[in-house]
Amino acid sequence: MSNPAKPAGAPNREALDWPFFGEEHRVLAEELDAFIAGGGLGSIDHAETDAACKRLVGALGQAGILRNCVPAAYGGVREDIDSRALCLIRETLAYADGLADFAFAMQGLGTGAISLSGSADLRQAILPKVAKGELIAAFALTEPEAGSDVAAMGTTARREGDDYVLDGEKTFISNGGIADVYTLFARTGEAPGTRGISAFVVFADTPGFTIAERIETMAPHPLARIRLDNCRIPASQLLGATGEGFKIAMRTLDIFRPSVAAAALGFARRALDEALAHASTRKMFGVTLADLPTAQSTLGEMATAIDTAALLTARVAWRRDVQKLPTTREAAMAKLTATENAQWVIDQALQLFGGRGVKVGEITERLYREIRALRIYEGATEVQKLIIGRELVKTAK
């Protein structure tokens, strides 16, 4: 099947001709493009992010797109979550609007650990509703003093009979304040450091669970600081075994980290397309901006940076889906390269737009704000470098 003509508002689909992707991914791309071109995302109000995200989750659920976030046994599309599908969806949504990408991504990240390690009862109670957009999910790992250094986690969970009692704080939690269910990590103390952390499911209406602060960022998304004060949950809401929380978190991030790279690709592709359109019409020195060698050189570098990131992103998703091999190093390479390259590409696009590029409301200005967080969340750039180096040393030994 040949790739269809690129509809207005869709990212470049040349990558689908690469051997990393199959026919099912080309079909998915067509469905996504049709959904967006048909107005499936609706009008997104970035000034009212809570309402916008809730509506987007519902729209993505109704369209069947969220089914890609859960296994087939619980309403999903495939037996196992497909990294290439996640990447394709996130790239497409990020190209269209960062908030749409955010709404999709958190449904998967927020329940990935439940898909991996939840009991049959927990999976059945949560995953089908997430796939339909009827429940909003969140992933609560970061703390005020434990971001990149997960071992410094201070939130505790103590066993009392058939319950666990949670105390502590989480911060910069995506979907905080609007989520119905949280995958939350706390220290149970079986061993020092990361070996003493466990994973739990916590529902937003649980007594002792409160939103302590709503956090505003440069790219408006629903974020919050969460307080747990004598928050009692049934022991059946433990994910996996005690002390396995860090491993569960890392396995979840390994699945979804390539999709962060894909979101960065979507932002970068949109920036390149906007820059090309602008340069082709902007008159300067008697010609268009696109006729100037300096602009052509910049556009060439932008395209090359995007394809570099796209290849690394496709490789890691294919390696996980098809080869069934570990992807820790490859995921870190893709996330590092895609987010850093996208930041540079968007900066160059803004430069080509000149003064218009920094005007509030312009696409370049919005992309500039959107991309910055991707270099931090789900493992900052510096952490990705450490992961790559650590894996190289491990292999050498």
Side-chain angles (χ1 to χ4, degrees):
M1 173 183 172
S2 61
N3 287 338
K6 185 181 76 166
N12 188 298
R13 295 300 191 193
E14 290 178 0
L16 288 174
D17 286 331
W18 298 348
F20 298 112
F21 296 97
E23 178 65 13
E24 68 274 23
H25 301 107
R26 287 183 276 274
V27 171
L28 175 60
E30 288 185 5
E31 293 172 350
L32 290 168
D33 291 346
F35 170 73
I36 291 173
L41 294 178
S43 178
I44 301 174
D45 185 354
H46 293 88
E48 297 291 340
T49 55
D50 286 6
C53 276
K54 290 177 181 179
R55 186 188 60 75
L56 283 166
V57 168
L60 293 168
Q62 188 173 5
I65 296 171
L66 292 179
R67 293 179 61 225
N68 290 277
C69 294
V70 305
Y74 302 96
V77 176
R78 300 169 185 82
E79 183 178 351
D80 296 312
I81 295 173
D82 185 83
S83 285
R84 290 168 295 173
L86 294 178
C87 288
L88 186 58
I89 293 167
R90 290 202 65 181
E91 180 180 339
T92 303
L93 293 176
Y95 184 97
D97 192 281
L99 205 57
D101 165 63
F102 174 91
F104 171 82
M106 289 315 304
Q107 291 296 91
L109 182 62
T111 58
I114 300 171
S115 295
L116 289 171
S117 303
S119 66
D121 287 345
L122 279 176
R123 291 175 181 173
Q124 192 58 58
I126 296 168
L127 298 181
K129 292 181 179 180
V130 166
K132 294 176 183 177
E134 295 172 356
L135 277 182
I136 295 178
F139 184 82
L141 180 65
T142 301
E143 297 186 3
E145 301 299 327
S148 297
D149 182 11
V150 179
M153 182 177 295
T155 298
T156 60
R158 67 182 186 276
R159 184 72 183 256
E160 289 189 0
D162 293 332
D163 298 331
Y164 278 96
V165 180
L166 282 62
D167 289 283
E169 282 195 356
K170 299 290 179 181
T171 194
F172 286 107
I173 304 307
S174 296
N175 275 347
I178 68 169
D180 302 292
V181 60
Y182 294 75
T183 295
L184 189 142
F185 299 84
R187 182 168 298 285
T188 43
E190 289 74 24
T194 58
R195 292 178 297 164
I197 294 171
S198 300
F200 301 89
V201 169
V202 181
F203 292 95
D205 58 0
T206 306
F209 179 99
T210 58
I211 302 300
E213 175 191 13
R214 294 303 299 271
I215 300 172
E216 295 185 13
T217 57
M218 60 195 296
H221 292 160
L223 293 169
R225 177 167 58 90
I226 294 165
R227 181 174 295 123
L228 301 152
D229 184 10
N230 202 36
C231 179
R232 185 177 294 271
I233 62 172
S236 58
Q237 289 175 209
L238 172 72
L239 297 174
T242 55
E244 290 184 349
F246 180 75
K247 290 181 180 179
I248 291 170
M250 294 306 104
R251 286 178 64 201
T252 304
L253 291 174
D254 276 350
I255 294 171
F256 290 95
R257 191 168 278 149
S259 76
V260 180
L265 274 175
F267 291 142
R269 290 195 193 280
R270 180 65 181 271
L272 177 59
D273 285 354
E274 295 291 332
L276 277 167
H278 173 71
S280 298
T281 57
R282 175 75 162 93
K283 299 295 184 180
M284 186 174 288
F285 305 117
V287 295
T288 66
L289 179 58
D291 292 320
L292 299 177
T294 52
Q296 292 176 3
S297 175
T298 297
L299 291 166
E301 286 187 88
M302 292 163 70
T304 302
I306 289 172
D307 268 15
T308 301
L311 282 162
L312 285 173
T313 303
R315 177 187 71 161
V316 62
W318 175 81
R319 179 180 169 91
R320 179 186 177 274
D321 292 341
V322 178
Q323 292 187 302
K324 308 296 183 184
L325 293 172
T327 59
T328 300
R329 183 185 67 175
E330 292 77 11
M333 286 180 171
K335 202 267 185 183
L336 163 70
T337 303
T339 55
E340 291 294 326
N341 285 10
Q343 178 82 67
W344 182 84
V345 166
I346 292 167
D347 186 71
Q348 295 306 302
L350 191 150
Q351 193 74 8
L352 286 168
F353 270 80
R356 177 184 158 192
V358 297
K359 183 181 176 183
V360 172
E362 289 285 344
I363 291 293
T364 48
E365 181 266 345
R366 177 163 59 82
L367 290 170
Y368 201 87
R369 289 185 287 104
E370 288 281 3
I371 188 57
R372 191 59 187 86
L374 267 67
R375 293 170 58 203
I376 298 172
Y377 86 75
E378 289 193 41
T381 290
E382 292 75 16
V383 173
Q384 303 311 315
K385 292 177 182 178
L386 290 174
I387 291 171
I388 296 164
R390 182 194 66 201
E391 292 296 313
L392 287 172
V393 171
K394 187 189 299 183
T395 300
K397 288 182 179 180

